[in-house]
Amino acid sequence: MNSGRFIFTQLCDFLPRRQFERYVAKYEGNKYVKSFTCWNHLLVMLFGQLADRESLRDLISSLAPYQNHFHHLGFGKSVTRSNLSKANEIREVRIFEDMANLMIIKVQKLRGNIKDPFLDVDGRVYAFDSSTISLCLSTYWWGKLHHDKGGVKLHTLYDVQSNIPTLNIITNASLHDSQVMDAIPYNKGDYYVFDRGYMDTKQLYLISKMHGFFVVRERTHIDK
């Protein structure tokens, strides 16, 4: 019965919790944890993504009206900026990485054969791009970009037709986008769309050599 249950809770029912708990056990994610388990952590961060929160402070503020319902939402007894920040800092990231990869595989099986009718091509169509995620240099000193800024880059290969990210790679923010192109699993007959930052002729030639296709924005200055 879903009567009286939050929509967020109903959505989370679809998550493979048993498999997630296996990842937690594998990496000992709940070792010495008295409250705010990995499952609580996962649901809080999912809530932040769905609610489009931009910072921990923003997320905690948005949760404040629901404090009396934390148990029903799956957040545990208490969620504060300090315990969430500490969990983000010390908890094994591979728990959530493995969970994300598992969900991608599950969605691919469900939507893998779906094709956009507006893209009348035989192969799959992928877009590859990166997003810079800002980080506090005082904590993440290794992510220095330039001057007083720091961060990491999330490089994503996105299946345009099924709306599924099929590959995610995290690197230092200073790494040039084109240097990640050799990690893409190119397939015969598929199409790859790039921005001008990926104008690497050696990598583009590799796509052509594998009988794939690419679309890339031309740089302003390029030798003809």
Side-chain angles (χ1 to χ4, degrees), residues 15-31 37-39 42 91-106 109:
L15 295 173
R17 182 169 182 174
R18 183 174 298 180
Q19 182 60 55
F20 178 77
E21 295 298 348
R22 291 195 184 103
Y23 297 143
V24 174
K26 177 181 178 180
Y27 299 111
E28 299 184 329
N30 284 335
K31 191 174 184 179
T37 65
C38 291
W39 181 253
L42 174 68
R91 191 153 277 164
E92 176 56 66
V93 68
R94 287 176 292 180
I95 296 172
F96 307 98
E97 181 181 7
D98 288 355
M99 182 64 169
N101 290 331
L102 173 66
M103 295 304 297
I104 288 175
I105 293 172
K106 285 182 173 292
K109 291 180 179 178

Side-chain angles (χ1 to χ4, degrees), residues 9-193:
T9 307
Q10 296 177 47
L11 289 173
C12 290
D13 285 344
F14 293 99
L15 295 173
R17 182 169 182 174
R18 183 174 298 180
Q19 182 60 55
F20 178 77
E21 295 298 348
R22 291 195 184 103
Y23 297 143
V24 174
K26 177 181 178 180
Y27 299 111
E28 299 184 329
N30 284 335
K31 191 174 184 179
Y32 307 123
V33 174
K34 296 181 180 180
S35 62
F36 200 63
T37 65
C38 291
W39 181 253
N40 301 146
H41 191 183
L42 174 68
L43 296 193
V44 169
M45 298 308 291
L46 283 175
F47 182 91
Q49 288 292 320
L50 293 173
D52 196 24
R53 301 300 90 188
E54 297 183 351
S55 65
L56 292 186
R57 187 188 301 275
D58 188 18
L59 174 55
I60 295 301
S61 296
S62 68
L63 291 175
Y66 305 102
Q67 287 185 358
N68 295 331
H69 304 286
F70 277 0
H71 176 72
H72 299 290
L73 287 165
F75 298 160
K77 295 180 179 180
S78 175
V79 184
T80 64
R81 186 183 174 194
S82 60
N83 70 0
L84 181 57
S85 177
K86 184 177 180 179
N88 285 342
E89 181 180 355
I90 67 174
R91 191 153 277 164
E92 176 56 66
V93 68
R94 287 176 292 180
I95 296 172
F96 307 98
E97 181 181 7
D98 288 355
M99 182 64 169
N101 290 331
L102 173 66
M103 295 304 297
I104 288 175
I105 293 172
K106 285 182 173 292
V107 176
Q108 284 177 332
K109 291 180 179 178
L110 292 172
R111 295 181 54 88
N113 295 324
I114 296 177
K115 299 187 69 174
D116 192 326
F118 294 101
L119 294 174
D120 187 17
V121 294
D122 293 330
R124 307 298 299 184
V125 179
Y126 297 96
F128 191 67
D129 206 353
S130 68
S131 299
T132 300
I133 303 172
S134 299
L135 296 175
C136 176
L137 271 179
S138 61
T139 303
Y140 305 100
W141 52 268
W142 45 264
K144 186 173 183 180
L145 180 56
H146 54 76
H147 303 301
D148 59 343
K149 294 183 179 181
V152 295
K153 272 187 180 180
L154 173 62
H155 308 262
T156 300
L157 183 67
Y158 190 79
D159 187 330
V160 177
Q161 294 155 301
S162 62
N163 297 315
I164 302 172
T166 60
L167 175 68
N168 293 295
I169 302 172
I170 298 177
T171 68
N172 192 291
S174 61
L175 187 71
H176 194 274
D177 291 343
S178 63
Q179 295 186 40
V180 191
M181 294 176 71
D182 57 357
I184 300 175
Y186 299 116
N187 298 310
K188 180 180 178 180
D190 288 346
Y191 295 76
Y192 300 87
V193 182

